[in-house]
């Protein structure tokens, strides 16, 4: 069966510090991968998605970036965090191919920027 | 672009009472619709999905939802609330994102409280 991992689970960082959040998927090949951010009272916002290694699409302009160095690894980064980057970050995956319409979410990372 | 609107950011029901969480969608094509549940500090778990087959969709934990095209709605119901149903619920619509992928556009969520 497929599983999705995220780490760290929680993170407290000062403004201006760098960020690296990692997401890995097991039990599937060539998944589509997604990063979402959930801020209080604002629902989920899609940040990035990837259909393959090195292929990243950005949905929202911001000081965050994403990379996919391996097939089942998705990394969210920032060079300098802002207060507004605080939130709950969720990684998700979906299978590729016809009829694939469900996204499966990881446990999330709670980021607090002080 | 597709969108979803969830009516009511907070809903409270008594244990054993009917749960009704409302979702209306806007879509220019036949939609794929989803309901997810999120427990505190956890990821989202799929409850059920509508993919243009039966209009009444049954999901996990006794939940079901009915797709009504005439009302552009996909409301989530459960006949009898349990304390363990207390969580936040998100309605989402599938939208093509390009490059062979798609995205889910989520509503802002409805937090369900169950009163003993």
């Amino acid at each position: 069966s497929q599983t999705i991992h995220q780490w760290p689970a929680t993170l407290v960082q000062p403004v201006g510090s760098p960020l690296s959040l990692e997401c890995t998927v097991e039990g599937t090949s060539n998944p589509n991968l997604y990063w979402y951010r959930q801020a209080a009272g604002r629902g989920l916002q899609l940040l990035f998605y990837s259909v393959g290694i090195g292929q990243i699409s950005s949905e929202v302009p911001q000081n965050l970036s994403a990379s996919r160095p391996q097939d089942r690894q998705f990394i969210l980064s920032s060079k300098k965090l802002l207060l507004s980057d605080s939130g709950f970050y969720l990684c998700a995956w979906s299978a590729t191919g016809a009829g694939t319409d469900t996204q499966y979410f990881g446990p999330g990372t709670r980021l607090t920027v002080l | 672009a597709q969108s979803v609107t969830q009516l009511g950011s907070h809903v409270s029901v008594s244990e054993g009472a009917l749960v009704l969480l409302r979702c209306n969608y806007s879509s220019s094509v036949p939609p794929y619709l989803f309901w997810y549940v999120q427990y505190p500090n956890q990821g989202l778990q799929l409850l059920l999905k509508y993919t243009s087959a039966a209009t009444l969709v049954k999901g996990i934990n006794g939940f079901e939802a009915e797709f009504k095209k005439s009302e552009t709605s996909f409301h989530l119901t459960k006949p009898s609330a349990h304390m363990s149903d207390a969580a936040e619920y998100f309605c989402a619509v599938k939208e093509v994102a390009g490059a062979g992928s798609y995205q889910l556009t989520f509503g802002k969520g409805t937090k369900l409280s169950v009163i003993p």
Side-chain angles (χ1 to χ4, degrees):
Chain A
S1 64
Q2 300 87 5
T3 56
I4 178 169
H5 304 278
Q6 288 186 244
W7 62 88
T10 61
L11 191 60
V12 180
Q13 293 284 94
V15 169
S17 64
L19 174 73
S20 181
L21 304 182
E22 190 165 345
C23 170
T24 58
V25 181
E26 297 176 355
T28 187
S29 297
N30 194 30
N32 293 329
L33 296 171
Y34 309 83
W35 278 112
Y36 289 87
R37 177 169 59 201
Q38 188 176 24
R42 298 185 62 183
L44 283 87
Q45 180 185 38
L46 178 65
L47 302 175
F48 302 95
Y49 68 91
S50 170
V51 298
I53 296 174
Q55 301 178 63
I56 309 294
S57 297
S58 174
E59 289 295 306
V60 182
Q62 59 216 328
N63 69 321
L64 300 173
S65 61
S67 61
R68 185 170 177 174
Q70 300 181 43
D71 181 44
R72 290 169 289 178
Q73 184 184 31
F74 205 22
I75 296 172
L76 184 69
S77 303
S78 174
K79 293 182 179 178
K80 288 186 177 182
L81 284 168
L82 307 173
L83 286 173
S84 57
D85 292 323
S86 292
F88 194 51
Y89 288 81
L90 289 160
C91 181
W93 74 273
S94 67
T96 54
T100 55
D101 49 33
T102 300
Q103 291 183 14
Y104 301 93
F105 287 79
T109 295
R110 173 76 60 190
L111 172 65
T112 303
V113 182
L114 301 175
Chain B
Q2 283 89 328
S3 65
V4 291
T5 302
Q6 291 184 241
L7 299 177
S9 58
H10 289 88
V11 171
S12 291
V13 300
S14 298
E15 190 174 16
L18 171 71
V19 176
L20 171 60
L21 304 182
R22 299 177 186 273
C23 173
N24 288 89
Y25 70 91
S26 171
S27 176
S28 58
V29 298
Y32 280 18
L33 295 160
F34 304 79
W35 275 100
Y36 283 84
V37 60
Q38 185 180 33
Y39 299 99
N41 292 309
Q42 295 187 25
L44 276 69
Q45 180 182 6
L46 179 69
L47 273 178
L48 49 81
K49 62 182 180 182
Y50 168 75
T51 58
S52 73
T55 56
L56 181 63
V57 182
K58 294 188 183 297
I60 62 172
N61 301 339
F63 284 93
E64 63 182 34
E66 186 173 9
F67 173 73
K68 292 187 176 180
K69 184 178 179 180
S70 61
E71 299 177 7
T72 61
S73 68
F74 190 56
H75 301 332
L76 182 71
T77 60
K78 182 174 180 178
S80 177
H82 191 272
M83 295 299 293
S84 61
D85 295 327
E88 192 159 17
Y89 293 79
F90 292 91
C91 182
V93 62
K94 175 183 174 180
E95 185 170 2
V96 174
S101 184
Y102 69 92
Q103 68 179 69
L104 293 180
T105 297
F106 285 86
K108 292 190 175 182
T110 298
K111 192 164 289 187
L112 176 67
S113 299
V114 182
I115 304 165

